[in-house]
Amino acid sequence: MDRVFSGAQPTGNMHLGNYLGAFRNWVRLQDNYECVYCIVDMHAITTFQDPKTLHAQTIEAAAAYIASGVDPEKSVLFNQSQVGEHAELAWIFNCVARMGWLNRMTQFKDKAGKNREKASVGLYVYPNLMAADILLYKANRVPVGEDQKQHLELARDIAQKFNHDFGVELFPEIEPVIMGEATRVMSLRNGQNKMSKSDPSDGSRINLTDDQDTIAKKIKKAKTDSELLPAKAEDLAGRPEAINLVSIYAALGDMSKDEVCAQFEGKGFGDFKPALTELAVEKLAPVTNEMAKLMKDPKHIENVLADGAVRAKAIAAPVLAEVKAAIGFVR
Ligand code: TYM
Protein backbone atom coordinates (compact mmCIF):
# COMPACT_ATOMS: atom_id res chain seq x y z
CA MET A 1 0.00 0.00 0.00
CA ASP A 2 1.18 3.53 -0.72
CA ARG A 3 2.05 5.56 2.32
CA VAL A 4 2.65 9.31 2.40
CA PHE A 5 5.12 11.05 4.72
CA SER A 6 5.97 14.71 5.01
CA GLY A 7 7.03 17.29 7.54
CA ALA A 8 7.97 20.89 8.26
CA GLN A 9 10.35 22.53 10.71
CA PRO A 10 8.90 24.54 13.62
CA THR A 11 11.46 27.30 13.20
CA GLY A 12 9.33 30.36 12.53
CA ASN A 13 6.11 31.58 11.03
CA MET A 14 4.48 29.16 8.64
CA HIS A 15 3.90 31.04 5.41
CA LEU A 16 2.19 30.95 2.03
CA GLY A 17 5.09 28.91 0.56
CA ASN A 18 4.59 26.17 3.15
CA TYR A 19 0.84 26.29 2.53
CA LEU A 20 0.91 26.12 -1.27
CA GLY A 21 4.03 23.95 -1.61
CA ALA A 22 3.14 21.51 1.16
CA PHE A 23 0.18 21.69 3.58
CA ARG A 24 -2.54 22.11 0.99
CA ASN A 25 -1.22 19.14 -0.96
CA TRP A 26 -0.95 17.02 2.17
CA VAL A 27 -4.65 17.60 2.75
CA ARG A 28 -5.48 16.55 -0.79
CA LEU A 29 -3.65 13.23 -0.35
CA GLN A 30 -5.18 12.20 2.96
CA ASP A 31 -8.37 10.76 1.47
CA ASN A 32 -6.52 8.36 -0.83
CA TYR A 33 -3.47 7.33 1.16
CA GLU A 34 -2.36 6.48 4.64
CA CYS A 35 -0.61 9.72 5.60
CA VAL A 36 1.94 10.50 8.29
CA TYR A 37 2.61 14.21 8.93
CA CYS A 38 5.38 15.23 11.26
CA ILE A 39 6.64 18.41 12.91
CA VAL A 40 10.37 17.91 12.62
CA ASP A 41 11.58 19.45 15.87
CA MET A 42 14.84 17.46 15.78
CA HIS A 43 15.66 19.01 12.41
CA ALA A 44 14.86 22.40 13.92
CA ILE A 45 17.68 22.13 16.50
CA THR A 46 20.35 21.78 13.80
CA THR A 47 20.49 25.55 14.32
CA PHE A 48 20.08 26.86 17.88
CA GLN A 49 16.47 27.31 19.03
CA ASP A 50 15.39 29.06 22.18
CA PRO A 51 13.58 26.32 24.20
CA LYS A 52 10.43 28.35 24.94
CA THR A 53 10.19 29.51 21.35
CA LEU A 54 10.72 25.99 19.99
CA HIS A 55 7.94 24.69 22.24
CA ALA A 56 5.54 27.45 21.19
CA GLN A 57 6.39 27.09 17.52
CA THR A 58 5.84 23.34 17.61
CA ILE A 59 2.31 23.93 18.92
CA GLU A 60 1.80 26.65 16.31
CA ALA A 61 3.02 24.35 13.53
CA ALA A 62 0.52 21.68 14.60
CA ALA A 63 -2.20 24.35 14.60
CA ALA A 64 -1.14 25.37 11.07
CA TYR A 65 -1.33 21.78 9.82
CA ILE A 66 -4.77 21.22 11.35
CA ALA A 67 -6.11 24.62 10.26
CA SER A 68 -4.94 23.88 6.71
CA GLY A 69 -7.08 20.74 6.80
CA VAL A 70 -4.84 17.95 8.10
CA ASP A 71 -7.25 15.76 10.03
CA PRO A 72 -5.51 14.10 13.00
CA GLU A 73 -8.12 11.32 12.94
CA LYS A 74 -7.42 10.39 9.33
CA SER A 75 -3.70 11.11 9.29
CA VAL A 76 -1.02 10.48 11.87
CA LEU A 77 0.12 13.88 13.21
CA PHE A 78 3.00 14.10 15.69
CA ASN A 79 6.30 15.76 16.53
CA GLN A 80 9.46 13.89 15.63
CA SER A 81 11.25 13.95 19.01
CA GLN A 82 8.46 11.88 20.60
CA VAL A 83 9.35 8.92 18.40
CA GLY A 84 12.93 7.94 19.27
CA GLU A 85 13.13 5.54 16.31
CA HIS A 86 13.80 8.55 14.01
CA ALA A 87 17.12 9.21 15.76
CA GLU A 88 18.07 5.53 15.81
CA LEU A 89 17.50 5.04 12.10
CA ALA A 90 19.23 8.35 11.35
CA TRP A 91 22.37 7.01 13.06
CA ILE A 92 22.25 3.89 10.92
CA PHE A 93 21.86 6.08 7.84
CA ASN A 94 24.87 8.16 8.95
CA CYS A 95 26.77 4.94 8.37
CA VAL A 96 25.14 4.28 4.98
CA ALA A 97 25.31 7.73 3.36
CA ARG A 98 28.67 8.79 1.91
CA MET A 99 30.47 12.06 2.67
CA GLY A 100 30.53 12.81 -1.05
CA TRP A 101 26.74 12.62 -1.23
CA LEU A 102 26.29 15.07 1.64
CA ASN A 103 28.96 17.40 0.25
CA ARG A 104 26.73 17.97 -2.75
CA MET A 105 23.71 19.22 -0.74
CA THR A 106 22.99 22.78 -1.79
CA GLN A 107 20.80 23.49 1.25
CA PHE A 108 23.74 22.82 3.59
CA LYS A 109 25.91 25.15 1.55
CA ASP A 110 23.20 27.85 1.64
CA LYS A 111 22.50 27.48 5.35
CA ALA A 112 26.07 27.07 6.55
CA GLY A 113 27.29 29.86 4.25
CA LYS A 114 30.80 31.14 4.88
CA ASN A 115 30.63 29.86 8.45
CA ARG A 116 30.92 26.21 7.46
CA GLU A 117 33.38 25.37 10.23
CA LYS A 118 30.95 26.67 12.83
CA ALA A 119 27.86 24.87 11.50
CA SER A 120 26.58 22.04 13.70
CA VAL A 121 27.37 18.49 12.65
CA GLY A 122 23.60 17.97 12.79
CA LEU A 123 23.10 20.50 10.00
CA TYR A 124 25.52 18.51 7.83
CA VAL A 125 23.79 15.15 8.38
CA TYR A 126 20.32 16.73 8.28
CA PRO A 127 19.38 14.88 5.06
CA ASN A 128 20.12 11.51 6.71
CA LEU A 129 17.57 12.26 9.43
CA MET A 130 15.14 13.28 6.72
CA ALA A 131 15.68 9.94 4.94
CA ALA A 132 15.07 8.20 8.26
CA ASP A 133 11.80 10.12 8.75
CA ILE A 134 10.43 8.82 5.48
CA LEU A 135 11.84 5.30 5.41
CA LEU A 136 10.92 4.51 9.01
CA TYR A 137 7.34 4.37 7.72
CA LYS A 138 8.33 2.74 4.42
CA ALA A 139 6.63 5.75 2.87
CA ASN A 140 7.00 5.97 -0.89
CA ARG A 141 5.24 9.26 -1.60
CA VAL A 142 6.57 12.50 -0.23
CA PRO A 143 4.68 15.73 -0.98
CA VAL A 144 7.07 18.68 -0.75
CA GLY A 145 7.97 21.99 -2.39
CA GLU A 146 10.66 22.02 -5.06
CA ASP A 147 13.42 22.98 -2.60
CA GLN A 148 13.35 19.50 -1.02
CA LYS A 149 13.94 17.58 -4.25
CA GLN A 150 17.68 17.10 -3.75
CA HIS A 151 17.15 15.78 -0.22
CA LEU A 152 14.65 13.25 -1.53
CA GLU A 153 17.09 12.06 -4.18
CA LEU A 154 19.61 11.46 -1.40
CA ALA A 155 16.99 9.56 0.64
CA ARG A 156 16.36 7.40 -2.40
CA ASP A 157 20.11 6.67 -2.71
CA ILE A 158 20.30 5.76 0.98
CA ALA A 159 17.35 3.36 0.63
CA GLN A 160 18.94 1.71 -2.41
CA LYS A 161 22.36 1.39 -0.83
CA PHE A 162 20.92 -0.08 2.36
CA ASN A 163 18.87 -2.64 0.39
CA HIS A 164 21.90 -3.48 -1.74
CA ASP A 165 24.49 -3.69 1.07
CA PHE A 166 22.34 -5.93 3.25
CA GLY A 167 20.75 -7.91 0.42
CA VAL A 168 17.19 -7.02 1.38
CA GLU A 169 14.14 -5.42 -0.23
CA LEU A 170 13.30 -3.51 2.91
CA PHE A 171 12.92 0.08 1.79
CA PRO A 172 10.66 1.21 -1.07
CA GLU A 173 11.59 3.64 -3.80
CA ILE A 174 10.78 7.20 -2.77
CA GLU A 175 8.74 9.32 -5.13
CA PRO A 176 8.65 13.10 -4.63
CA VAL A 177 5.15 14.51 -5.07
CA ILE A 178 5.53 18.11 -6.22
CA MET A 179 2.03 19.37 -6.93
CA GLY A 180 0.29 22.52 -8.09
CA GLU A 181 1.22 25.81 -9.71
CA ALA A 182 3.27 27.19 -6.81
CA THR A 183 5.91 24.59 -6.01
CA ARG A 184 8.49 27.28 -5.32
CA VAL A 185 6.90 30.46 -3.96
CA MET A 186 9.36 33.34 -4.09
CA SER A 187 9.91 36.29 -1.75
CA LEU A 188 7.55 39.23 -2.31
CA ARG A 189 10.57 41.52 -2.11
CA ASN A 190 12.90 39.71 -4.49
CA GLY A 191 11.78 37.24 -7.13
CA GLN A 192 15.18 35.51 -7.03
CA ASN A 193 14.86 34.35 -3.41
CA LYS A 194 12.60 31.67 -1.99
CA MET A 195 9.85 32.80 0.40
CA SER A 196 11.30 31.62 3.68
CA LYS A 197 10.72 31.58 7.45
CA SER A 198 14.25 32.84 7.97
CA ASP A 199 14.10 35.93 5.72
CA PRO A 200 14.68 38.90 8.07
CA SER A 201 12.13 40.96 6.13
CA ASP A 202 8.61 40.08 7.29
CA GLY A 203 7.31 41.86 4.18
CA SER A 204 8.94 39.15 2.05
CA ARG A 205 6.35 36.57 3.07
CA ILE A 206 2.67 36.15 3.84
CA ASN A 207 2.43 34.39 7.19
CA LEU A 208 -0.49 32.11 7.93
CA THR A 209 -1.09 34.29 11.00
CA ASP A 210 -1.31 37.59 9.01
CA ASP A 211 -4.63 39.42 9.15
CA GLN A 212 -6.43 40.88 6.15
CA ASP A 213 -4.83 44.33 6.39
CA THR A 214 -1.34 42.90 6.69
CA ILE A 215 -1.87 40.66 3.65
CA ALA A 216 -3.17 43.67 1.67
CA LYS A 217 -0.19 45.82 2.68
CA LYS A 218 2.35 43.13 1.82
CA ILE A 219 0.86 42.48 -1.61
CA LYS A 220 0.63 46.21 -2.29
CA LYS A 221 4.32 46.61 -1.49
CA ALA A 222 5.37 43.45 -3.37
CA LYS A 223 8.06 44.11 -5.96
CA THR A 224 6.78 44.05 -9.55
CA ASP A 225 7.65 45.54 -12.92
CA SER A 226 5.85 48.15 -15.00
CA GLU A 227 4.85 45.85 -17.87
CA LEU A 228 1.37 44.54 -18.53
CA LEU A 229 0.32 40.92 -18.13
CA PRO A 230 0.59 38.89 -21.35
CA ALA A 231 -2.02 36.50 -22.80
CA LYS A 232 0.14 33.44 -22.15
CA ALA A 233 2.26 32.45 -19.16
CA GLU A 234 5.28 31.63 -21.35
CA ASP A 235 5.55 35.33 -22.20
CA LEU A 236 6.27 36.08 -18.53
CA ALA A 237 9.80 34.72 -19.06
CA GLY A 238 12.46 36.96 -17.52
CA ARG A 239 9.96 38.59 -15.12
CA PRO A 240 10.49 36.61 -11.88
CA GLU A 241 8.29 38.81 -9.68
CA ALA A 242 5.43 38.70 -12.18
CA ILE A 243 5.74 34.91 -12.55
CA ASN A 244 5.64 34.58 -8.77
CA LEU A 245 2.45 36.62 -8.30
CA VAL A 246 0.73 34.89 -11.22
CA SER A 247 1.73 31.47 -9.82
CA ILE A 248 0.38 32.39 -6.38
CA TYR A 249 -2.90 33.52 -7.94
CA ALA A 250 -3.11 30.32 -10.00
CA ALA A 251 -2.42 28.07 -7.01
CA LEU A 252 -4.87 29.88 -4.71
CA GLY A 253 -7.57 29.93 -7.39
CA ASP A 254 -6.94 26.35 -8.57
CA MET A 255 -6.27 27.63 -12.07
CA SER A 256 -3.38 27.27 -14.50
CA LYS A 257 -0.97 30.19 -15.04
CA ASP A 258 -2.30 30.42 -18.61
CA GLU A 259 -5.85 30.85 -17.31
CA VAL A 260 -4.69 33.63 -14.98
CA CYS A 261 -2.91 35.39 -17.87
CA ALA A 262 -5.98 35.05 -20.10
CA GLN A 263 -8.10 36.64 -17.36
CA PHE A 264 -5.74 39.58 -16.77
CA GLU A 265 -4.30 40.04 -20.26
CA GLY A 266 -3.33 43.66 -20.91
CA LYS A 267 -3.79 44.67 -17.26
CA GLY A 268 -1.02 46.05 -15.05
CA PHE A 269 -0.25 45.29 -11.41
CA GLY A 270 -2.47 48.17 -10.32
CA ASP A 271 -5.39 45.94 -11.35
CA PHE A 272 -3.84 42.57 -10.61
CA LYS A 273 -2.68 43.22 -7.04
CA PRO A 274 -6.13 44.08 -5.60
CA ALA A 275 -7.56 40.93 -7.24
CA LEU A 276 -4.72 38.85 -5.78
CA THR A 277 -5.32 40.40 -2.35
CA GLU A 278 -8.99 39.56 -2.49
CA LEU A 279 -8.30 35.95 -3.47
CA ALA A 280 -5.53 35.53 -0.87
CA VAL A 281 -7.74 36.87 1.90
CA GLU A 282 -10.67 34.70 0.81
CA LYS A 283 -8.54 31.54 0.83
CA LEU A 284 -6.33 32.27 3.85
CA ALA A 285 -8.80 33.86 6.29
CA PRO A 286 -10.42 30.50 7.18
CA VAL A 287 -6.97 29.03 7.88
CA THR A 288 -5.87 32.03 9.96
CA ASN A 289 -9.12 32.05 11.94
CA GLU A 290 -8.98 28.33 12.63
CA MET A 291 -5.35 28.60 13.71
CA ALA A 292 -6.21 31.37 16.16
CA LYS A 293 -9.00 29.23 17.61
CA LEU A 294 -6.73 26.20 17.99
CA MET A 295 -3.97 28.25 19.61
CA LYS A 296 -6.32 29.11 22.46
CA ASP A 297 -6.08 25.51 23.68
CA PRO A 298 -2.44 24.38 23.49
CA LYS A 299 -3.14 21.49 25.87
CA HIS A 300 -5.51 20.01 23.31
CA ILE A 301 -2.81 20.25 20.65
CA GLU A 302 -0.28 18.58 22.96
CA ASN A 303 -2.74 15.71 23.42
CA VAL A 304 -3.24 15.39 19.67
CA LEU A 305 0.55 15.17 19.19
CA ALA A 306 0.99 12.63 21.99
CA ASP A 307 -1.75 10.48 20.51
CA GLY A 308 -0.18 10.78 17.05
CA ALA A 309 3.21 9.78 18.46
CA VAL A 310 1.76 6.53 19.83
CA ARG A 311 0.29 5.73 16.41
CA ALA A 312 3.54 6.68 14.65
CA LYS A 313 5.57 4.46 16.99
CA ALA A 314 3.29 1.53 16.24
CA ILE A 315 4.30 1.75 12.56
CA ALA A 316 7.93 2.72 13.15
CA ALA A 317 9.01 0.17 15.79
CA PRO A 318 8.48 -2.98 13.66
CA VAL A 319 10.28 -1.36 10.70
CA LEU A 320 13.26 -0.47 12.90
CA ALA A 321 13.26 -4.06 14.23
CA GLU A 322 13.48 -5.31 10.64
CA VAL A 323 16.35 -2.93 9.96
CA LYS A 324 18.24 -4.09 13.05
CA ALA A 325 17.77 -7.72 12.09
CA ALA A 326 19.06 -7.02 8.56
CA ILE A 327 22.19 -5.38 9.99
CA GLY A 328 22.88 -8.25 12.35
CA PHE A 329 22.43 -6.50 15.67
CA VAL A 330 21.84 -8.90 18.57
CA ARG A 331 18.40 -8.11 19.92
P1 TYM B 1 10.54 23.27 5.60
O1 TYM B 1 10.17 23.34 7.03
O2 TYM B 1 11.58 24.20 5.09
O3 TYM B 1 9.26 23.45 4.71
C1 TYM B 1 8.10 22.65 4.85
C2 TYM B 1 7.49 22.37 3.50
O4 TYM B 1 7.17 23.60 2.83
C3 TYM B 1 7.78 23.63 1.55
N1 TYM B 1 8.20 25.00 1.26
C4 TYM B 1 7.90 25.66 0.14
N2 TYM B 1 7.18 25.31 -0.94
C5 TYM B 1 7.04 26.22 -1.92
N3 TYM B 1 7.59 27.47 -1.86
C6 TYM B 1 8.31 27.87 -0.80
N4 TYM B 1 8.83 29.10 -0.74
C7 TYM B 1 8.49 26.95 0.27
N5 TYM B 1 9.13 27.00 1.47
C8 TYM B 1 8.95 25.81 2.06
C9 TYM B 1 8.98 22.72 1.65
O5 TYM B 1 9.38 22.23 0.38
C10 TYM B 1 8.46 21.62 2.55
O6 TYM B 1 7.72 20.69 1.79
N6 TYM B 1 13.59 19.33 5.39
C11 TYM B 1 12.20 19.71 5.38
C12 TYM B 1 11.37 19.06 6.46
C13 TYM B 1 11.44 17.58 6.50
C14 TYM B 1 10.80 16.69 5.61
C15 TYM B 1 11.12 15.39 6.08
C16 TYM B 1 10.00 16.85 4.48
C17 TYM B 1 12.09 16.82 7.43
N7 TYM B 1 11.89 15.52 7.17
C18 TYM B 1 10.67 14.25 5.41
C19 TYM B 1 9.56 15.71 3.82
C20 TYM B 1 9.89 14.44 4.29
C21 TYM B 1 12.12 21.23 5.58
O7 TYM B 1 13.00 21.83 6.13
O8 TYM B 1 10.95 21.78 5.20
Side-chain angles (χ1 to χ4, degrees):
M1 199 216 341
D2 285 331
R3 190 178 277 144
V4 170
F5 183 97
S6 202
Q9 294 192 69
T11 45
N13 282 315
M14 294 297 173
H15 53 71
L16 186 65
N18 299 127
Y19 180 71
L20 294 177
F23 306 159
R24 203 176 64 145
N25 303 327
W26 300 357
V27 173
R28 293 179 175 184
L29 292 167
Q30 67 184 346
D31 285 326
N32 298 319
Y33 301 99
E34 186 183 347
C35 297
V36 181
Y37 295 131
C38 184
I39 297 152
V40 292
D41 48 7
M42 295 203 301
H43 278 105
I45 63 163
T46 55
T47 55
F48 180 76
Q49 304 296 319
D50 169 73
K52 275 206 185 87
T53 312
L54 177 67
H55 191 277
Q57 283 177 345
T58 303
I59 302 288
E60 193 170 297
Y65 289 17
I66 300 169
S68 301
V70 170
D71 178 349
E73 303 273 316
K74 273 191 212 155
S75 301
V76 177
L77 167 57
F78 72 108
N79 58 309
Q80 191 183 29
S81 60
Q82 291 207 58
V83 180
E85 283 81 354
H86 287 251
E88 274 192 76
L89 186 58
W91 175 258
I92 292 166
F93 286 171
N94 284 345
C95 305
V96 174
R98 306 288 93 183
M99 296 282 286
W101 300 359
L102 289 170
N103 286 342
R104 285 199 289 273
M105 294 296 111
T106 56
Q107 199 150 309
F108 176 76
K109 288 180 197 158
D110 290 348
K111 283 202 179 168
K114 291 191 194 91
N115 248 340
R116 225 181 129 108
E117 294 293 317
K118 294 222 169 100
S120 74
V121 177
L123 190 66
Y124 184 67
V125 293
Y126 178 115
N128 297 346
L129 176 59
M130 192 165 153
D133 295 340
I134 301 162
L135 293 166
L136 194 52
Y137 301 89
K138 295 193 179 179
N140 54 343
R141 288 173 186 263
V142 186
V144 287
E146 241 171 67
D147 60 333
Q148 296 301 317
K149 223 169 136 187
Q150 195 187 32
H151 287 159
L152 296 189
E153 281 158 14
L154 184 93
R156 191 192 259 235
D157 290 344
I158 290 176
Q160 263 176 15
K161 182 163 165 58
F162 184 96
N163 285 349
H164 176 265
D165 288 354
F166 296 103
V168 288
E169 278 301 318
L170 210 157
F171 293 123
E173 196 161 303
I174 292 171
E175 211 184 291
V177 181
I178 298 177
M179 284 161 71
E181 289 284 351
T183 55
R184 186 175 177 84
V185 178
M186 306 309 277
S187 155
L188 298 181
R189 290 304 177 85
N190 179 347
Q192 310 288 346
N193 296 342
K194 193 178 69 168
M195 183 179 286
S196 148
K197 296 181 197 108
S198 55
D199 193 318
S201 157
D202 191 59
S204 70
R205 65 184 160 261
I206 293 176
N207 301 309
L208 293 184
T209 47
D210 284 345
D211 61 22
Q212 200 164 326
D213 289 346
T214 312
I215 294 177
K217 266 190 213 128
K218 286 179 177 175
I219 293 178
K220 200 166 173 195
K221 283 197 179 158
K223 188 175 167 197
T224 45
D225 53 41
S226 52
E227 289 176 52
L228 304 177
L229 286 167
K232 284 218 159 81
E234 63 188 19
D235 294 326
L236 287 167
R239 300 172 63 190
E241 285 84 12
I243 294 174
N244 190 35
L245 296 187
V246 166
S247 305
I248 293 173
Y249 193 101
L252 285 170
D254 270 316
M255 299 161 76
S256 68
K257 288 195 268 296
D258 275 335
E259 284 171 322
V260 178
C261 286
Q263 188 177 326
F264 291 95
E265 183 190 353
K267 299 236 164 83
F269 287 98
D271 291 315
F272 184 72
K273 280 182 168 181
L276 177 60
T277 302
E278 195 180 323
L279 182 64
V281 168
E282 179 198 325
K283 298 289 177 177
L284 297 179
V287 179
T288 309
N289 294 342
E290 186 59 25
M291 246 181 104
K293 245 196 258 164
L294 288 160
M295 292 296 291
K296 285 192 182 133
D297 191 358
K299 265 271 158 281
H300 169 71
I301 295 186
E302 282 177 21
N303 290 338
V304 168
L305 293 175
D307 176 58
V310 172
R311 288 165 62 202
K313 226 179 173 53
I315 308 172
V319 177
L320 187 65
E322 252 186 282
V323 171
K324 287 181 170 176
I327 294 174
F329 285 154
V330 173
R331 291 181 303 126

